[in-house]
Amino acid sequence: MASPAASRPAAIALALLALATALTAANAASCSASDRDALLSIRAALSDDAHLGVFSTWTAGTDCCANWYGVACDPTTGRVADLSLRGEAEDAVMAPAGRPASGVMSGYISDAVCDLDRLSTLVLADWKQITGPVPSCVATSLPNLRVLELPGNRLTGELPPSIGSLSRLTVLNLADNQLTGEIPSSLTALASLKHLDLANNRLTGRVPSDLGNLAMLSRALLGRNRLSGPIPASVASMPRLADLDLSENQLTGSIPDNLGSSGRVLASLYLGANRLSGRVPASLLRNSGLGILNLSRNALEGAIPDAFTAQSYFTLLDLSRNRLTGTVPKSLASAAYVGHLDLSHNRLCGTVPDGPPFDHLDAASFASNSCLCGGPLGKCT
């Protein structure tokens, strides 16, 4: 058994090691001066118009890794890893006394954001009044960026042409802004991208023909823009695409024949309010995983494929305001569920079948066709 005197050097050594470890951890947790200066420059370019105190904790001379609202640091390096400021968050700052608030912030996104070169997450969402462009340096100076969310503002200008350089990006959300120009061709190089939302902007040009290269993509939301040209055939081969929204654009041509034929992955498809022509692919109606299908307000023609099965489960099926002819498919009666059905404003004829789902639908679902009768429209004469 070691004597007390012999154990003292070991105890002292352990104490010194613990102290050194604590000091190292403390030093690592402190943000760098350059990161703090960059954050203060970002703050200077923005104005908290609702006076919610978003930046009340951002104080010069303090540690930006210690309780600065919306800022998180890598504990091993002390570098800023996440900057996340949401105008509709429900925390104590944005929702005082438990009452949800809707923040308003004006100003612009400073290029200083690109000095945070270890940034993994950049979120400035739903502030309504932030203007100016997406800093082009975001695409070249933030190699670790995984999440870029800037929706719900008034950003203008074009998407950074070299956006495809962000090889680790998994989420790109720039929806609900006023962005113009074309979708950069480099975007389809984002091999890790899972969520793409560019909806409700003023984007023009074509949907990239090689969009299908984004093999990890599960959501592609490009609706409410000014995109033209055809739907790329490559989207039909995307193995993980669950939600596709190309509605309210100026797309032309036909719907790819094999869209929705690659298993049960595709869950929602919005193609309404375009200039699409041709026929409704049978693969869409046969797909047992597709629950929302909106092809309304196009120029689709021909008969509705009689391709429904007992596995068909549509919460919404809208084929209204096209040029469809023929009869209401009898196989629709075999569908497991049809919640909302709209076949109005077409050129359909014949008798509406009896039984479900037709017995819970009203006349508006079949209105303004050439010669439909039966079911909710009344007896055929």
Side-chain angles (χ1 to χ4, degrees):
M1 180 176 179
S3 67
S7 63
R8 284 192 196 120
I12 293 172
L14 288 173
L16 290 173
L17 179 60
L19 179 61
T21 301
L23 290 173
T24 300
N27 289 335
S30 299
C31 75
S32 69
S34 61
D35 282 358
R36 183 174 60 249
D37 291 344
L39 290 169
L40 292 175
S41 294
I42 294 167
R43 173 187 174 178
L46 297 170
S47 176
D48 177 7
D49 296 348
H51 307 293
L52 292 169
V54 172
F55 295 122
S56 61
T57 54
W58 291 33
T59 308
T62 62
D63 181 2
C64 66
C65 293
N67 300 318
W68 279 34
Y69 179 73
V71 178
C73 298
D74 184 332
T76 62
T77 64
R79 299 297 306 278
V80 173
D82 301 312
L83 175 57
S84 184
L85 299 173
R86 296 185 181 274
E88 297 181 357
E90 297 183 358
D91 52 48
V93 172
M94 292 301 300
R99 295 188 297 272
S102 183
V104 177
M105 191 181 293
S106 59
Y108 63 95
I109 302 173
S110 170
D111 286 349
V113 73
C114 298
D115 294 332
L116 302 172
D117 55 12
R118 298 295 182 88
L119 206 59
S120 174
T121 299
L122 174 58
V123 178
L124 293 171
D126 301 315
W127 291 107
K128 305 172 185 64
Q129 301 292 336
I130 296 179
T131 58
V134 179
S136 58
C137 60
V138 166
T140 56
S141 301
L142 302 178
N144 299 305
L145 203 61
R146 296 179 182 272
V147 175
L148 177 59
E149 293 192 70
L150 308 173
N153 293 296
R154 290 188 179 179
L155 300 178
T156 55
E158 300 186 0
L159 278 70
S162 54
I163 192 77
S165 300
L166 298 173
S167 60
R168 299 185 180 184
L169 201 66
T170 61
V171 176
L172 176 59
N173 184 355
L174 303 176
D176 303 316
N177 281 291
Q178 299 172 11
L179 299 172
T180 55
E182 298 187 4
I183 298 173
S185 59
S186 71
L187 184 140
T188 58
L190 297 173
S192 299
L193 196 65
K194 297 179 180 179
H195 179 106
L196 173 64
D197 192 349
L198 303 177
N200 197 25
N201 278 286
R202 300 172 183 176
L203 300 174
T204 55
R206 298 193 169 205
V207 180
S209 60
D210 56 348
L211 190 71
N213 288 351
L214 300 176
M216 299 296 292
L217 197 66
S218 63
R219 304 193 78 198
L221 310 180
L222 305 176
R224 291 168 290 155
N225 278 290
R226 299 170 185 177
L227 300 171
S228 57
I231 300 172
S234 64
V235 301
S237 60
M238 299 175 74
R240 303 191 181 201
L241 188 63
D243 303 295
L244 177 61
D245 184 356
L246 297 172
S247 64
E248 297 184 48
N249 279 290
Q250 300 167 15
L251 301 177
T252 54
S254 60
I255 301 170
D257 281 337
N258 56 345
L259 184 60
S261 62
S262 56
R264 299 168 58 91
V265 178
L266 191 65
S268 68
L269 177 62
Y270 295 90
L271 300 178
N274 280 289
R275 300 172 184 173
L276 299 172
S277 56
R279 296 176 175 265
V280 177
S283 60
L284 293 177
L285 306 183
R286 197 181 296 121
N287 187 327
S288 58
L290 188 61
I292 296 175
L293 176 61
N294 189 337
L295 307 180
S296 65
R297 291 176 288 167
N298 280 291
L300 300 173
E301 56 191 9
I304 301 172
D306 202 5
F308 298 92
T309 71
Q311 285 74 46
S312 299
Y313 194 102
F314 287 98
T315 57
L316 182 148
L317 176 58
D318 191 346
L319 306 179
S320 65
R321 298 182 184 275
N322 280 286
R323 301 171 185 173
L324 300 173
T325 56
T327 61
V328 177
K330 292 182 178 180
S331 64
L332 190 56
S334 67
Y337 178 77
V338 179
H340 176 82
L341 174 69
D342 194 346
L343 303 180
S344 65
H345 297 274
N346 278 290
R347 301 171 183 177
L348 301 174
C349 270
T351 304
V352 177
D354 295 324
F358 307 103
D359 53 7
H360 74 263
L361 300 171
D362 56 32
S365 296
F366 306 98
S368 299
N369 276 284
S370 296
C371 48
L372 273 183
C373 60
L377 296 176
K379 292 183 178 180
C380 297
T381 58

